[in-house]
Amino acid sequence: MSATPDTPSAAPDRRHDIDALRALAFLFVILYHVGMYYVADWPWHLKSPHAAEWLQWPMRVLNLWRMDLVFLVSGVSLGFLARNQDSWALIRSRGVRLMLPLAFAMAVIVPYQAYAEGVANGLVAPGFGAFLLRYLSMGHPWPKQAFAGAEFGITWNHLWYLPYLFTYTAIIALTLPLWRSPAGQWMRQRFNGLRGWKLLLLPVLPLLLSTMLLARHFPPTHNLIRDFHLHSIYFTVFVYGYWMGVDTGVWRELERLRRVSLALAVAVIATFVVLRLGAKGPPSGVLMDTLRMLYLWLAVATILGHGHRYLNRPWPWLRWANESVYPWYVLHQTLIIAGAALLAPLALGPVLEPALLVALTIAGCWALTDGLIRRVNWLRPLFGLKPRRTSADPRATSPEGPLPPEPGLRSPSPRA
């Protein structure tokens, strides 16, 4: 019998390209958030006196697909994981991995971001200790616009991805019988059976339709409740990843089309930029929506195709990166803001300062992760890592314990 997208033989032993793409995607998130400190006219928690208008375009080109790639890769992981677990096991395992770090970080990691923003806005008195006591008590209202999320008394800032991902995972988990039904398998097989131009164009249609219907009524908020347009985009690409996860044919086709998708992506974004620069105001309408969504999918398809071609091998750095990416994600924005507050009084200029800020952020993430978080067993779950097995555990493979892979990226046994 030939392999189908739902048979174990259809999946490789391990998808090294997905491991690598996850690490690289979150590295882009770090660089993007450093850029948010320096890009002119875009609101963020702190803004540099060296803000530059020219940064808007590279930031915009990156912003059109960066989080969509992250959610698609997360969907791929779920596609593997869902083969071995039932609905409640999925929700339980994902809840521990996603919501425990979120709660910890909102109480311990994120508050400094709110404090620095409030002080910069002149609406919070200096003194982090007093701020933290009031912040954690959640019993006193903050001045309006003191910091992002002040109206709620507490904020998750850059960690909004975690509750969004848990919500999408729970939706899939609670409806697993539908996804596994004949109708659900038919939809999965039709998507994974797309070839040629159909694979590069047809997945754009749901994204375009939701954008045309929702974008102007529901601007991005990252508050989970009313973010309907972003939900429609992120959940759609999340489902694409869930469908694609264990299929080999669609990945081979993306690899085959990688040069075509790259050329088309460059042409589409160039057209978008020309039209945007030539417009008197922010252009809108079906044409611009079409270009944005077409570029989004072509860029993601290009990255997936090139990643499958060049990254699907056991790189020496993958073991370290796979375990480090989650703590780095949790830590990075607080370290960026702390670094910005440290460097701003030195007036180092628009070249040296951002270079040092990137270096300090990366060094801080590395030092805290490798020097503390990965070594202290009770800290590991608070940053999304599995507890390290002791040397007495017969399953331990090294003094540091085995690599705790992102669940689902290793193919299941034939008994599954």
Side-chain angles (χ1 to χ4, degrees), residues 106-156:
M106 288 176 67
V108 177
I109 307 298
V110 173
Y112 180 78
Q113 299 180 32
Y115 167 73
E117 183 179 359
V119 171
N121 291 337
L123 297 173
V124 170
F128 182 63
F131 170 86
L132 186 61
L133 289 175
R134 180 177 174 184
Y135 177 87
L136 293 178
S137 70
M138 298 180 62
H140 304 282
W142 293 98
K144 188 177 182 181
Q145 306 301 322
F147 55 85
E151 65 271 27
F152 303 106
I154 194 169
T155 182
W156 51 45

Side-chain angles (χ1 to χ4, degrees), residues 68 71-77 79 172 179 187-188 190-192 194 198-210 232-247 250-251 254 293 296-297 300-301 304:
D68 310 275
F71 277 109
L72 187 141
V73 169
S74 299
V76 172
S77 299
I172 296 290
W179 299 100
M187 292 177 63
R188 182 181 207 153
R190 295 290 76 76
F191 181 87
N192 288 331
L194 295 176
K198 294 180 180 179
L199 182 57
L200 298 182
L201 295 182
L202 294 185
V204 178
L205 298 181
L207 305 174
L208 177 59
L209 179 61
S210 63
S232 69
I233 299 296
Y234 293 152
F235 184 68
T236 298
V237 296
F238 182 77
V239 170
Y240 289 171
Y242 172 72
W243 280 338
M244 294 166 61
V246 296
D247 185 84
V250 70
W251 291 98
L254 286 169
M293 293 301 105
L296 183 163
W297 177 247
V300 169
L304 296 178

Side-chain angles (χ1 to χ4, degrees), residues 251-302:
W251 291 98
R252 286 196 298 266
E253 184 68 358
L254 286 169
E255 179 182 339
R256 186 182 74 84
L257 296 171
R258 67 189 186 278
R259 296 186 182 91
V260 175
S261 59
L262 174 60
L264 291 174
V266 171
V268 170
I269 194 59
T271 303
F272 178 87
V273 170
V274 168
L275 292 177
R276 182 95 182 228
L277 291 175
K280 294 181 179 179
S284 59
V286 175
L287 176 59
M288 300 305 291
D289 288 342
T290 301
L291 291 173
R292 286 193 297 116
M293 293 301 105
L294 186 58
Y295 170 68
L296 183 163
W297 177 247
L298 288 171
V300 169
T302 298

